[in-house]
Amino acid sequence: MQYNHQEIEKKWQKYWADQGTFKAENNSDKPKYYVLDMFPYPSGAGLHVGHPLGYIASDIYARYKRHKGFNVLHPQGYDSFGLPAEQYAIQTGQHPAITTETNIKTYRRQLDNIGFSFDWSREVRTSNPEYYKWTQWIFIQLFNSWYNKDADKAEDIATLVAKFEAEGNANVNAVSDEDIRVFSAEEWKSFSEKQQQEILLQYRLTFLSDTEVNWCPALGTVLANDEIVNGVSERGGHPVVRKKMTQWSMRISAYAQRLLDGLQNIDWPQPLKDSQTNWIGRSQGAMVSFDVDGHDAKIDVFTTRPDTIFGVSFMTLAPEHDLVKRIASDEQRKAVEEYIEATAKRSERDRMADVKTISGVFTGAYALHPFTGKQVPIWIGDYVLASYGTGAVMAVPCGDQRDYDFAKHFGLEIPNIFADVDISEKANDAKDGIKLTNSDFLDGLNYKKGMKTVIYELEKRGFGYGKINYRLRDAVFSRQRYWGEPFPVYYKDGMPQMIDAKHLPIVLPEVEKYLPTEDGKPPLGNAEVWAWNSIENRVVSNELIDNETVFPLELNTMPGWAGSSWYFNRYMDSNNEGEFVSKEAVDYWKEVDLYIGGSEHATGHLLYARFWQKFLFDRGLLPVDEFAKKLINQGMILGTSAIANRAIYNIYTVLEDDNKISDGDTFYHEIKDKFYTKLQSIFFSEGIIKKGNKFMHECVNSISSLNRIKEDFCNEINVKKEYNLSVNDVYFRVSGYSDPRVNINNLIKPTDNLDISKFRNSGIQEAKDAIYLDDDGVVIEDNNENFKTTREVEKMSKRWGNVVNPDDICEEYGADSLRLFEMFLGPLEQTKPWKTSGISGVYSFLKKLWKLFTDENGINVSDEEPTKDELKTLHKTIKKVEEDIENFSFNTSVSTFMIAVNELTALKCNKRAILEPLLVLISPYAPHIAEELWSQLGHNESISTVAFPKFEEKHLVESSKNYPVSFNGKMRFTLELPLDMSKDEIEKTVMAHEKTQQQLQGREPKKVIIVPGKIINIVG
């Protein structure tokens, strides 16, 4: 009877689907357990073998919990709104819904092929109107809520209106916009409806505001910080600029402290908790107000070191700060505007990460020191971010290294306010043991006393106040895209109005184009049917517009994280048409017990989801304020790539490093173009580069001629006269490409040896235009047929051409082999390389397991009583596997299975009492083979319903000891004796043994040394 994995796996996958084997019930006498994966975005590339790693682990645990008697909820769905489908729609005109549906079918087929025990009856898709109806509903709840600091929770906006009507807003303690006008109850009642709505918008948990955003012109949309990598969009690598736009935002900052506190109550990885802690960024200090000399304006600064206020020698504003253009002097205005334009091309993350670059521009304006009245020059610099604090820094160069470097670079004053501290080389960042000097009323005080004193004086004199600040900014919630959740919003007299929940969902309209409109509106502006009839309560066409009853709808859509911030609650009651989740269902399931997904979502999805959960808890809609008790970040499976190394030289100047020129400057391109012209002429004439090589960054194989080339170049373009540069200001650096490595997996078959001639003729641009080097830096000639490629382990990605399709693995080796192998690669949390050749060992193990149960005629299992050795193997396996699963050490379980099968094979065990429990142990890992053998053993029910075997310690307790019997310290033979035998009985038995008599040859021993359970030594 042969093991046919293809036939077996198809059979049981169909059985599970037809029988609804893994369907969970919302009412059960069993204890509940909720296992969840971060649901996937269904990309066109489908799954590669790295994707299922976390799914396999969660599936093993879900199956294990069913065996342990739990009612397990293990659902799956799709995060199906997304930019890739929209970009494809822009390129091809195909509706994103069609692309998404096609991709989902591929994902579903692949997931089913791997044998996951998902409850597909609860599937959710964020792009289905039946689902995003409730995303829209949650948005309405947020709009109709405010955060009451006194109660420390969100409340209905109606309670705020009641406060305004009764007493105005003077005593309202709320999270709100800054600089809200104070008004009385009488004034509130006298305000027009629009004025009241404008005020309420300053308190609502979702609100409209002019916000600095990451704008990607190529994608035509705003991007979140986590959607930007190295200053360009993660999707497509397009440039991103900072600009102000009117956007919907979420007041997540209201929950900053609770998000921090809640981390203490959840079992999540510490590195992930640290990421969220740092992202939220709690700091204690003071808000200080500086008047701007000659202007009716103030600059508010949050500082964690107000005690150093007498060390302020300049101020730095973020280039985007509202006051910059207003206070810039006529002499400095052009420089300021140019700097603002250049900074807009850099993302916030890029600016935060770049600690080496020093750049800035003087505004020409001065602030007045609040205590001394001294003029403080106001600069702008890109190391200050508009989104953090107030977008302004009171620079104390003696106490902050970045301020110190800035002051040194621009020749600004560096006063020392630290007694007995040398700041000639660097700033002092120490607090303990340092006393203040040159600081007026703070002289002689240490850090703690200085902090209390200066905050007291600031508040007394009206210059500021003590404050706790958070780095966490309110989350921009608008996207200028088509393929996203429509807002349930229309505008009346310019003010946003919520569409009544009974009219949801507001469904995406059909559009001809998925790009923004010609006048710059989001893609929904292309819709012919996109307005709200407030009388008929429906979306109406343009032909029906009546100015009295029809209002424009919001043209932006929600971001991708909207639907993923609450989907785990929808799974509890996914088919409920009347509620986002019923009280009965959510009271039963409460929260996710085990959540598995990537750590890359730490400050995106996971933070936003915790925010929404706490909000819904505040409003009495959920019973718990954290959505996942335990979270595990699975590691990454890496692919292996073949790499060819190309040589590149590029031109750089000292001026570029000093930020006096940049890639975008005409000057830079002029000097660079002249250099390449000169470089090519020299190389062409000397035959170093073949003519016709037009690649931008030319390649050379020798550094020896670079100094001469540089000198010739500088003399020819007369850099000193034209550009005020010396020869030494121009230098060269390897790697003008963004990456000197060329991944050739996608170019040719990545063999160990690369035929350069074949490579050159492959039609690939990189192959034709670049020059490649061997390990010694020598150019590879076209006739070199043994060019050795470099093998590198890197992220598995379609882009790199190193992906392995799980379909191929399942076809050749089976899903059970794939599941076991992925777990066998190493600990779940660790990153590990994939090597397909290793899976054959796992496949051999499954065939060996099959043979334990079968012979050439079919199932061959005996009902005989098992031996003690067989029971010992079984129960040590039960013990180890249960411990491993509970500790999520799935890799060691696979090793344990292999050992058990080897031992039982050696014992020629075919006992039902041993093999049936063994099947249950293995079934979470290899469910298909387990189901088939269980069925062949005569069982009608699925093995997934069978109780997990119970470990019995008695089978591991040794009843006898195999004693080494020694004579004069040398072991001569062994003798197995009962462990409970007394010392005297052991001596009698040993002395009577024939081998003892042979050793003694009639002599009487001088001494018999016996340590029960350990040794026997006869001294003669």
Side-chain angles (χ1 to χ4, degrees), residues 79 153 204 349 456 508-509 660 696 714 761 790 802 959:
D79 193 8
K153 69 173 187 175
R204 295 183 188 276
R349 282 193 173 182
Y456 170 79
L508 277 171
K660 293 178 182 175
M696 181 62 183
C714 292
N761 295 323
T790 301
N802 61 0
S959 60

Side-chain angles (χ1 to χ4, degrees), residues 140-146 155-157 204 498 619:
I140 294 172
Q141 310 314 304
L142 283 155
F143 182 81
N144 289 327
S145 299
W146 66 293
E155 294 182 358
D156 193 303
I157 200 74
R204 295 183 188 276
M498 296 298 108
R619 295 304 310 272

